[in-house]
Amino acid sequence: MSSYTNRCILVIDDEPDLCSIVKFTLERLKSWKILTAESAQAGLMQAETQQPDVILLDLSLYGQDRLTMLQSLKTNPNTQSIPVILFTATDPSDDSLGFDPSEFAGVILKPFNVLQLGEQIIEQLGW
């Protein structure tokens, strides 16, 4: 049995269609439990209560500063140990954005191949 079975992934993205596609695809291809949240507040609540194995976080959540959500997750004792993969069209390696690479486990740039998403997550987390 693979080390990445029975995983729970939280997708925090304000695009409902994208959340649905990711949920459907990863549940079918990887048999993972996929939680979705379309706002920062809902995402934080789910992260605290559900304790997912990883969070896919969109950097451009409506009404959120780019760093606010990531900092909220990393300073909250209930969520700080959950790996975060940035799920974004914005390249976080751009120094002007002010990201500390130690705060996130990886990056998946949009647009992405939905059929390869599970493998990208596995690779970035070393599962």
Side-chain angles (χ1 to χ4, degrees):
M1 180 165 288
S2 300
S3 63
Y4 57 82
T5 57
N6 300 320
R7 298 293 183 158
C8 178
I9 315 299
L10 172 58
V11 180
I12 305 174
D13 195 302
D14 57 3
E15 296 179 40
D17 291 341
L18 185 130
C19 288
S20 295
I21 290 167
V22 169
K23 179 178 175 60
F24 178 82
T25 304
L26 292 180
E27 286 179 345
R28 297 282 187 253
L29 294 179
K30 297 297 181 192
S31 299
W32 292 339
K33 178 181 179 182
I34 307 300
L35 308 170
T36 61
E38 295 172 17
S39 71
Q41 183 178 6
L44 279 171
M45 186 171 17
Q46 284 204 55
E48 286 183 341
T49 59
Q50 300 295 317
Q51 292 292 298
D53 294 298
V54 64
I55 297 169
L56 296 183
L57 175 63
D58 178 20
L59 284 183
S60 57
L61 286 171
Y62 179 75
Q64 285 288 308
D65 173 87
R66 292 186 188 279
L67 295 173
T68 303
M69 181 65 179
L70 185 59
Q71 289 171 342
S72 296
L73 289 166
K74 290 302 168 187
T75 57
N76 182 327
N78 296 318
T79 60
Q80 63 189 10
S81 65
I82 302 170
V84 175
I85 294 177
L86 302 181
F87 195 48
T88 182
T90 305
D91 186 352
S93 65
D94 180 347
D95 290 339
S96 68
L97 297 175
F99 287 107
D100 177 354
S102 69
E103 292 183 333
F104 51 91
V107 177
I108 295 174
L109 291 175
K110 296 176 186 176
F112 61 94
N113 182 328
V114 72
L115 298 176
Q116 295 174 353
L117 182 58
E119 294 306 317
Q120 286 181 283
I121 294 168
I122 290 166
E123 182 180 318
Q124 291 191 22
L125 295 173
W127 285 351

